[in-house]
Amino acid sequence: MIRSALAALVGVLTAVVLAAGPAEAFAPSATAAIHPGVQTVTDGGQCTSNFIYKGGDGTVYLGQAAHCASRGAQTDTNGCTSPSLPLGTKVEIEGATKPGTVVYSSWLQMQKGKETDPNACAFNDLALVKLSGDDARQTNPSIPFFGGPTGLNTEGTKPLEGVSSYGNSSLRQGIDLLKPKFGTSLGTGSGGWNHTVLTVSPGIPGDSGSAFLDSQGRALGVLSTLALLPLPGTNGVGDLSR
C-alpha cells in the first residue's frame, strides 16, 4: 500500500539519488547550497533533511521526517493517528532561495489508506519536499563528511554493525565537530521497520529526519524517535527501503 502510493506520486522514483543521472545534473558537492543534512523548518519546527530523491520526470525532492509537519504534541508519534499539516505546506530550507513544498507524507498516506500495522504506524516516517527549479540545480546528493550513499540497504542491520549519520540540530549551536555521528546498530526490529542505534553524539531534537548509513555506506533510514529502551539515549531509525 505504502510503496504503491509513493510510486504513484513520483513515477519511477530513484529512491536515494546515487545513480540518478550524470554528475553534471547536480551542483558540485563542494559548492552545492542544498544537500543531505541541511536544516528544514516547517511551521516553526526545525528538523534535519535526509536524502535527495529524484522522480522519473527529473523533479528533485529533499527528504525530511513526516513528523516534522506534525500538528500534535511531541509524544504524538503514531503516524496513523497523529494530526499533520496538509500537502502543499511550505518548508524553509537552509541554502534555498525559495521555500520547498511538501508533496508526500507517509503519515497522511497511512491515514488516507487506513493503515493498521503498528510497526508501520510507529516508524514509517518520511516526507518529500519538492524543490524549486533554481534550487534543484544547486543541489548535490552527497552526505557531508561521509559521502555516499552507495546504495540502499534492504536487509536490515545486525547487532553491533557500524552506522553513521549527520545531524544538524540548531541546539548544536553550529559546532561542526558535533554534526558527524558514529555509532552502532543494536539490530533491526519491529517487523523490519526500525533500527535501534546508539551514536556519539546521540540524536537530539532538531536532528529528526536526518539520514543514516550502514557499515557499507548504504542508505539505511531516517532518524525518527528518541528511545528510552533498550538503552537511554538510543534512537529509532525508520527503515528507508520500506
Side-chain angles (χ1 to χ4, degrees):
M1 179 188 303
I2 295 164
R3 290 178 183 171
S4 62
L6 183 58
L9 171 70
V10 293
V12 182
L13 180 71
T14 303
V16 182
V17 171
L18 41 102
E24 58 267 22
F26 293 98
S29 59
T31 58
I34 303 171
H35 51 75
V38 295
Q39 290 183 7
T40 62
V41 178
T42 309
D43 194 32
Q46 191 252 304
C47 284
T48 298
S49 61
N50 48 76
F51 301 100
I52 302 296
Y53 304 78
K54 191 174 185 181
D57 61 357
T59 303
V60 178
Y61 307 85
L62 184 67
Q64 69 171 12
H67 79 254
C68 295
S70 173
R71 289 166 45 192
Q74 290 186 351
T75 54
D76 294 332
T77 59
N78 186 325
C80 295
T81 59
S82 299
S84 180
L85 294 168
L87 299 183
T89 295
K90 296 300 181 181
V91 178
E92 298 176 34
I93 301 169
E94 178 186 3
T97 61
K98 299 178 181 177
T101 305
V102 176
V103 295
Y104 172 80
S105 164
S106 61
W107 279 22
L108 293 175
Q109 190 62 40
M110 289 192 295
Q111 291 170 24
K112 180 180 178 181
K114 302 186 185 304
E115 182 64 66
T116 58
D117 179 355
N119 294 320
C121 292
F123 296 107
N124 182 28
D125 193 6
L126 177 68
L128 296 179
V129 180
K130 181 180 178 180
L131 301 177
S132 72
D134 289 342
D135 288 325
R137 287 186 284 273
Q138 298 302 315
T139 300
N140 186 280
S142 300
I143 295 175
F145 191 85
F146 297 106
T150 62
L152 180 65
N153 178 304
T154 59
E155 66 268 17
T157 54
K158 299 178 180 179
L160 302 184
E161 178 179 345
V163 295
S164 57
S165 182
Y166 186 85
N168 200 4
S169 171
S170 59
L171 297 178
R172 300 181 188 279
Q173 299 181 333
I175 302 176
D176 289 341
L177 290 176
L178 297 178
K179 293 181 180 180
K181 296 186 292 187
F182 302 85
T184 57
S185 172
L186 302 183
T188 299
S190 302
W193 274 103
N194 179 51
H195 313 276
T196 301
V197 299
L198 181 63
T199 59
V200 179
S201 62
I204 60 176
D207 287 337
S208 291
S210 52
F212 262 81
L213 303 174
D214 67 10
S215 59
Q216 299 180 47
R218 297 176 299 180
L220 176 64
V222 176
L223 179 62
S224 181
T225 60
L226 175 63
L228 297 177
L229 296 172
L231 291 173
T234 58
N235 293 110
V237 174
D239 185 79
L240 188 63
S241 70
R242 282 166 173 73

